[in-house]
Amino acid sequence: MFNLLIVDDEITAVKGLAYGISWNDIGIDEIFTAYNGQEALEIINNHKIDILISDIRMPLITGLELAEKIQETYPLTKIILISGYDEFDYAQEAIKYQVFRYLTKPIANEEVKEVVNEALGDIKNSLKKNKELEKANLQIEEMMPYVIKDYYEEIIIKGNTFLLDDVEANKYLSINSEDYFLMLTCKVDGPYVNMPLKTRETYKLAFVNTIKKYVSILPPIYTIYDHYNHLIFVYSSNSISKLNQLESAISKLAETIQYTFRHSLGHILSMTWSKISSIPNIHETYKTLNNQINRHLHNETGIIISPSQKKKQQSNQCLFNMRECPTFKSLLESFDVNRCVQKIQLIFEEYSNLDYQTKDLTLNIFYTLTNNLIESSISNNLSINEWVTDESYLYSYESIESVKHLEEWLIINTQNYINHILSETETEKHALIRKAKQYILDNYTEQILLNDIANELYIHPNYLSKLFKDNENINITQYITNLRIEHAKELLTENTHKIYEIAEICGYSSIAHFNRTFKREVGVSPKEYK
């Protein structure tokens, strides 16, 4: 709890305050006493004193001198000075040393106790504020990594480089415009993208740590997965030679890192990197590296694009619509047939406008889109034979007569697949509604919640609620109420049960709730109806 130090050169005054007041009543559980200022200082130096009561006139060190020393060293201690003299100079000095209260003798013990209790209140408020401040600082500290991540994302990913001129923003960033920078962009292909979220995040962390393990000359100042799931590292150094060493290490170790990804992590890694000419160009560097790495899709070994290869890469062209969000794969998941067809048309329109049309690029389109269709079909437990028009296309590129023919085949089969899924889904919806109604019929005489029905059907409550309302033109709650009220009307007509029994039989735990609901639905009370 709290303690108190009483200082006076009169023994009777000290004992009177120490033993004449029930200090425990207000939370003081430890009393120290001293008979001069020097003795008091020794106690204060050895113990954290919460409240000091001191006479002003004492030998060796006066109460005012004691207050001055305490204020310098222990500013949180509350000081109450007592004097037999009501002198203005004393009071003025007391204010100077931030004394909590200046009292003049004679003074009753109850008054002293009351003043000490007020001082305790001040201490408690200060402790509460300090605790709140510590909590706020802790929250700020916990949020800081996310704040820093957002700043970097705004600058690098979104191109809002004006933040580099923001003094407040730069307090949190490890960016010095005089430094030298390098960006490493990595693309990881493999099964992790289709894994459950927790497993996927574990893999992503493993990818980051593996690259950090090999590229260890400098720690990255920033690491993030962008919306393409590309892994971006940004490095900085005030020494260009250090950055050159880093670049050399990446070049030498790139193939080793790729090998580790393939054989230890079971994924394909592609890498490209570049020095950043100046920090305001960091977003442009990010876009350039992304474009370079996006040109290589579904490569079995992964690619390495070193700075020396970039001039050659700049002459190549790629299909951005294959990677641009929303992708064909994500559109398939939404079962939006029109947008899927538009996506296919955009891809082939872009392809037809290229300066060159290689077999590799055509194969890329073919395998990517057909694989998306097959994967979606499998994930929805739908046999490929139920929607595909010509299976030979799935197994042999040579079956494709022309690029135009490929486009038409993809559009027709995408439409077939989605329409088949939607018809299956419609049938499933009716089955779900039928099961929901049966469950309600079996259980409406008990307490029944939307979550209970949804859990029984293994679907989300929100989906069940919307599905039921869309198909039955009535919400589930009203449907249950209708069943209960109809049952209640039958029982009331039979006249063999009391009203409170009928309420319980029909699933109402409260007779008042039953009466209100019945009158709202029927227009009269149960008693009147009976």
Side-chain angles (χ1 to χ4, degrees), residues 68-174:
E68 181 182 7
K69 292 179 182 296
I70 291 172
Q71 184 57 38
E72 289 174 358
T73 316
Y74 307 102
L76 298 180
T77 300
K78 298 294 178 184
I79 302 169
I80 300 168
L81 292 181
I82 300 177
S83 174
Y85 304 89
D86 188 9
E87 294 185 12
F88 177 74
D89 288 346
Y90 281 168
Q92 201 172 36
E93 284 290 302
I95 292 171
K96 179 180 174 182
Y97 301 129
Q98 298 182 23
V99 169
F100 179 76
R101 196 66 56 83
Y102 177 81
L103 305 174
T104 55
K105 296 177 183 178
I107 181 170
N109 281 0
E110 281 306 309
E111 187 179 348
V112 175
K113 184 178 180 181
E114 186 178 335
V115 171
V116 170
N117 197 29
E118 289 176 20
L120 277 175
D122 262 29
I123 292 172
K124 289 173 184 176
N125 285 336
S126 296
L127 289 172
K128 184 180 177 182
K129 287 177 182 175
N130 288 341
K131 191 173 181 180
E132 289 172 352
L133 185 61
E134 285 176 10
K135 185 179 178 181
N137 287 335
L138 183 61
Q139 288 174 337
I140 291 171
E141 190 176 329
E142 288 173 349
M143 288 298 296
M144 197 50 63
Y146 301 101
V147 173
I148 293 171
K149 176 182 175 293
D150 287 345
Y151 270 128
Y152 275 119
E153 187 169 327
E154 286 292 325
I155 293 167
I156 299 172
I157 309 298
K158 298 181 180 178
N160 293 325
T161 50
F162 65 87
L163 286 170
L164 292 166
D165 301 321
D166 188 326
V167 176
E168 281 300 310
N170 276 287
K171 287 180 182 177
Y172 307 115
L173 304 177
S174 303

Side-chain angles (χ1 to χ4, degrees), residues 414-521:
T414 298
Q415 291 170 330
N416 287 348
Y417 166 67
I418 293 176
N419 289 334
H420 201 101
I421 283 288
L422 291 176
S423 64
E424 290 275 334
T425 304
E426 202 61 35
T427 304
E428 289 171 7
K429 285 179 181 177
H430 290 303
L432 284 171
I433 292 168
R434 180 179 52 76
K435 289 177 182 177
K437 284 182 174 180
Q438 187 60 51
Y439 182 86
I440 293 168
L441 194 61
D442 293 342
N443 295 278
Y444 75 88
T445 57
E446 305 292 333
Q447 291 296 314
I448 180 172
L449 300 172
L450 177 63
N451 281 351
D452 298 330
I453 309 168
N455 290 339
E456 182 71 14
L457 302 179
Y458 301 101
I459 59 175
H460 196 281
N462 293 347
Y463 175 71
L464 172 60
S465 179
K466 185 176 186 308
L467 180 64
F468 198 97
K469 180 70 182 292
D470 289 347
N471 286 269
E472 299 298 311
N473 294 318
I474 185 174
N475 63 48
I476 285 186
T477 303
Q478 187 61 49
Y479 183 83
I480 295 170
T481 299
N482 290 351
L483 283 176
R484 286 173 170 167
I485 295 301
E486 286 303 313
H487 191 184
K489 285 161 70 176
E490 291 172 8
L491 293 173
L492 287 166
T493 304
E494 291 172 4
N495 204 22
T496 56
H497 294 85
K498 297 184 183 300
I499 291 176
Y500 76 87
E501 292 174 335
I502 292 172
E504 188 174 344
I505 290 169
C506 293
Y508 291 95
S509 58
S510 162
I511 182 68
H513 183 207
F514 170 68
N515 285 334
R516 284 196 305 273
T517 305
F518 191 96
K519 186 162 187 178
R520 185 188 71 228
E521 298 296 325

Side-chain angles (χ1 to χ4, degrees), residues 131-272:
K131 191 173 181 180
E132 289 172 352
L133 185 61
E134 285 176 10
K135 185 179 178 181
N137 287 335
L138 183 61
Q139 288 174 337
I140 291 171
E141 190 176 329
E142 288 173 349
M143 288 298 296
M144 197 50 63
Y146 301 101
V147 173
I148 293 171
K149 176 182 175 293
D150 287 345
Y151 270 128
Y152 275 119
E153 187 169 327
E154 286 292 325
I155 293 167
I156 299 172
I157 309 298
K158 298 181 180 178
N160 293 325
T161 50
F162 65 87
L163 286 170
L164 292 166
D165 301 321
D166 188 326
V167 176
E168 281 300 310
N170 276 287
K171 287 180 182 177
Y172 307 115
L173 304 177
S174 303
I175 292 179
N176 183 338
S177 59
E178 303 298 319
D179 283 353
Y180 303 95
F181 296 86
L182 181 142
M183 184 179 291
L184 169 63
T185 298
C186 301
K187 174 175 172 281
V188 183
D189 290 312
Y192 87 99
V193 292
N194 296 316
M195 291 178 178
L197 179 62
K198 192 172 181 181
T199 308
R200 189 160 69 244
E201 293 304 314
T202 302
Y203 265 96
K204 288 168 88 169
L205 183 60
F207 299 155
V208 171
N209 290 337
T210 300
I211 292 171
K212 282 183 177 179
K213 175 186 171 184
Y214 284 100
V215 185
S216 58
I217 289 177
L218 282 174
I221 61 169
Y222 173 71
T223 304
I224 192 174
Y225 281 91
D226 67 7
H227 54 280
Y228 294 109
N229 255 343
H230 290 172
L231 178 53
I232 314 296
F233 294 88
V234 178
Y235 300 87
S236 76
S237 174
N238 57 9
S239 165
I240 187 64
S241 64
K242 193 75 174 176
L243 212 65
N244 288 337
Q245 289 177 35
L246 174 70
E247 187 173 21
S248 176
I250 294 172
S251 296
K252 290 175 182 176
L253 294 169
E255 289 185 5
T256 304
I257 299 171
Q258 277 189 330
Y259 182 88
T260 302
F261 266 70
R262 282 199 306 275
H263 296 279
S264 297
L265 299 173
H267 285 75
I268 307 296
L269 173 69
S270 296
M271 303 169 65
T272 183

Side-chain angles (χ1 to χ4, degrees), residues 257-302:
I257 299 171
Q258 277 189 330
Y259 182 88
T260 302
F261 266 70
R262 282 199 306 275
H263 296 279
S264 297
L265 299 173
H267 285 75
I268 307 296
L269 173 69
S270 296
M271 303 169 65
T272 183
W273 60 94
S274 174
K275 290 193 184 108
I276 302 167
S277 57
S278 65
I279 198 61
N281 292 328
I282 194 166
H283 176 63
E284 290 305 315
T285 303
Y286 162 76
K287 287 199 302 182
T288 300
L289 294 180
N290 258 7
N291 290 341
Q292 287 165 354
I293 211 163
N294 278 342
R295 290 172 180 161
H296 297 265
L297 305 175
H298 295 275
N299 187 301
E300 292 182 359
T301 58

